[in-house]
């Protein structure tokens, strides 16, 4: 092969490589959610959208593609001084999106670094006007102020800041210990208050229950007393009616009166037995009855006492059988008891002496008893 043929082959190969390079640099495919800036002879020419596009080789130059999706950038913790001179460490997260590829390319050299530095300075300005308590409880307010400042400053850079979030606010360890003690004391106080409220409610309910119990008990006792009184009244009324239906005479009543007297002295604790004043009249009546009983026993006729007891219905008393010897003994005992009852006792003599002494005192009224 001569020199001309070799030279022709080299020219053809170079032409093929040139055509291939021109084709590669002329045809570009832009992916979805990407944008490209084209410079023609070093000057901004146009912004490429997603799809197939043709460029003029060696005249047009495509800059690196820009991501049009919303981006999330987390910045490292930054020390911030609050208004009460406490240093807190704050982590921030910024959500932004490129809306103008041309401005993002020509208005700012590194928009991510610019957003970071602007966030740090704005955060220090906002948190510097708040104390620690407000900084911990006002995250929404801080986020809103940061977003407003960043959105206004980054608008001319072709960016849109959608959200700014404080990821963490870490006070010094000494302040954290104090806050934990404060929270523990607050929880203890609330627990004590709840315990006191529970004790109070328990005492109120207990008192209310006792009051209701006492009321019901008193009502029950009142009803029982009424029923008992009604029963006693009915019993007394029945006895009264039975006695009046039997129509007893005075002699029978006197005899019953004497039988009742021993029951008055029953009981081991009785030290004094007071004899009623009516016992004399009863003894007089019983003396006459006993005399009649003795006479009737001598003659063999029924005694008036037996006749009265036989004719008195409703009185379940046993019928006494009195012989003449027993009648004389009973009559003598009744007369002795009547004489003993008519005798003035020592208490009557002492009372009479006090009255006479009072009557002899000078200045006392005549006839004063």
């Amino acid at each position: 092969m001569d020199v001309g043929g070799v030279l022709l082959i080299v020219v053809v190969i170079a032409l093929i490589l040139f055509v291939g390079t021109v084709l590669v640099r002329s045809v570009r495919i832009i992916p979805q959610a990407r944008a490209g800036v084209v410079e023609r002879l070093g000057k901004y020419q146009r912004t490429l959208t997603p799809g197939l596009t043709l460029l003029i080789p060696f005249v047009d130059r495509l800059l690196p593609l820009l991501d049009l999706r919303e981006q999330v950038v987390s910045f490292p913790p930054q020390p911030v001084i609050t208004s009460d001179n406490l240093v807190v460490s704050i982590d921030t997260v910024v959500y932004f999106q490129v809306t103008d590829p041309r401005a993002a390319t020509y208005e700012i050299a590194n928009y991510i670094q610019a957003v970071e530095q602007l966030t740090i300075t704005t955060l220090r300005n906002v948190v510097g006007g708040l104390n620690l308590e407000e900084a911990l409880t006002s995250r929404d307010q801080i986020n809103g102020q940061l977003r407003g400042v960043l959105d206004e400053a980054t608008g001319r850079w072709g960016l849109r800041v959608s959200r700014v979030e404080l990821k963490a606010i870490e006070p010094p360890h000494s302040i954290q210990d104090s806050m934990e003690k404060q929270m523990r004391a607050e929880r203890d106080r609330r627990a004590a208050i709840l315990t006191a409220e529970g004790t109070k409610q328990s005492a109120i309910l207990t008192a209310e229950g006792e009051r209701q119990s006492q009321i019901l008990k008193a009502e029950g006792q009142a009803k029982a007393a009424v029923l008992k009184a009604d029963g006693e009244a009915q019993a007394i009324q029945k006895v009264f009616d039975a006695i009046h239906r039997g129509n007893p005479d005075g002699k029978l009543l006197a005899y019953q009166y004497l039988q009742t007297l021993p029951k008055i002295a029953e009981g081991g604790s009785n030290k004094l037995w007071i004899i009623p004043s009516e016992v004399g009249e009863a003894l007089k009546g019983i003396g006459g009855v006993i005399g009649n009983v003795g006479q009737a026993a001598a003659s063999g006729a029924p005694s008036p006492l037996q006749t009265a007891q036989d004719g008195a219905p409703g009185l379940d008393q046993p019928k006494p059988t009195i012989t003449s010897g027993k009648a004389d003994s009973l009559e003598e005992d009744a007369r002795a008891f009547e004489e003993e009852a008519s005798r003035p006792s020592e208490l009557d003599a002492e009372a009479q002496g006090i009255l006479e002494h009072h009557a002899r005192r000078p200045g006392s009224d005549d006839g004063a008893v």
Side-chain angles (χ1 to χ4, degrees):
M1 182 179 292
D2 56 358
V3 178
V6 174
L7 183 60
L8 180 60
I9 293 174
V10 171
V11 172
V12 172
I13 294 173
L15 183 59
I16 292 174
L17 292 176
F18 177 75
V19 172
T21 303
V22 169
L23 291 176
V24 170
R25 295 180 63 89
S26 299
V27 179
R28 292 294 180 91
I29 298 175
I30 307 300
Q32 185 67 32
R34 300 289 192 277
V37 176
V38 177
E39 291 181 349
R40 180 168 291 178
L41 300 176
K43 184 180 179 181
Y44 172 76
Q45 199 273 332
R46 69 181 186 276
T47 300
L48 299 180
T49 58
L52 179 64
T53 184
L54 298 176
L55 300 176
I56 300 175
F58 308 106
V59 177
D60 295 339
R61 185 171 70 93
L62 180 62
L63 298 181
L65 298 179
L66 298 176
D67 194 347
L68 300 181
R69 294 173 297 179
E70 187 173 5
Q71 303 181 41
V72 181
V73 180
S74 177
F75 302 125
Q78 299 295 325
V80 180
I81 301 176
T82 60
S83 62
D84 48 358
N85 298 325
L86 292 176
V87 180
V88 295
S89 180
I90 301 178
D91 297 346
T92 55
V93 179
V94 179
Y95 299 82
F96 68 93
Q97 184 179 12
V98 176
T99 58
D100 188 356
R102 178 179 179 277
T105 303
Y106 296 106
E107 297 295 335
I108 189 70
N110 189 342
Y111 56 83
I112 294 180
Q113 184 179 3
V115 170
E116 178 183 359
Q117 296 301 321
L118 183 60
T119 301
I120 293 173
T121 55
T122 306
L123 182 63
R124 288 177 178 175
N125 292 333
V126 173
V127 177
L130 303 174
N131 55 32
L132 179 60
E133 189 70 21
E134 294 174 348
L136 294 175
T137 58
S138 304
R139 293 196 175 191
D140 293 338
Q141 179 182 354
I142 297 174
N143 295 338
Q145 293 182 6
L146 286 175
R147 180 181 177 279
V149 174
L150 291 176
D151 196 14
E152 181 182 357
T154 58
R156 59 188 181 87
W157 299 341
L159 305 176
R160 183 180 64 85
V161 178
S162 58
R163 297 184 65 182
V164 179
E165 295 291 340
L166 300 182
K167 186 167 61 174
I169 300 177
E170 297 180 0
H173 294 289
S174 60
I175 302 300
Q176 291 182 8
D177 295 339
S178 300
M179 293 172 63
E180 290 178 359
K181 292 180 181 179
Q182 181 181 0
M183 290 300 299
R184 189 179 300 109
E186 181 67 20
R187 293 178 184 274
D188 293 341
R189 183 182 67 86
R190 293 180 181 178
I193 291 175
L194 293 177
T195 303
E197 288 291 336
T199 304
K200 175 184 175 183
Q201 293 295 331
S202 176
I204 291 174
L205 294 177
T206 302
E208 184 67 21
E210 291 179 355
R211 186 177 70 87
Q212 293 292 338
S213 176
Q214 294 294 334
I215 291 174
L216 295 176
K217 184 177 180 181
E219 291 178 353
Q221 292 178 353
K223 292 181 179 179
V226 171
L227 294 177
K228 183 177 180 181
D230 292 341
E232 292 179 354
Q234 293 177 5
I236 293 173
Q237 184 65 35
K238 287 183 178 181
V239 173
F240 182 79
D241 295 340
I243 292 174
H244 282 74
R245 284 196 303 269
N247 194 17
D249 56 1
K251 297 176 181 179
L252 180 59
L253 293 178
Y255 182 74
Q256 293 291 333
Y257 190 83
L258 286 178
Q259 286 186 339
T260 308
L261 283 178
K263 296 182 180 180
I264 299 177
E266 290 181 355
S269 61
N270 293 333
K271 301 296 181 62
L272 181 62
W273 184 25
I274 300 175
I275 299 176
S277 59
E278 293 85 356
V279 71
E281 297 295 333
L283 290 175
K284 292 179 181 180
I286 199 62
V289 173
I290 292 173
N292 295 331
V293 169
Q295 294 176 4
S299 60
S303 63
L305 182 59
Q306 293 177 352
T307 305
Q309 289 182 349
D310 294 338
L315 296 178
D316 300 332
Q317 297 294 338
K319 297 180 181 181
T321 304
I322 304 175
T323 61
S324 60
K326 291 183 179 180
D328 296 338
S329 177
L330 184 59
E331 182 178 359
E332 292 177 0
D333 293 340
R335 289 175 182 175
F337 188 78
E338 182 179 358
E339 293 175 0
E340 185 67 23
S342 61
R343 243 182 241 170
S345 62
E346 296 179 0
L347 185 61
D348 294 337
E350 185 177 356
Q352 186 66 26
I354 293 173
L355 292 176
E356 293 177 358
H357 176 70
H358 181 71
R360 291 194 301 269
R361 287 177 57 185
S364 60
D365 298 336
D366 296 337
V369 180

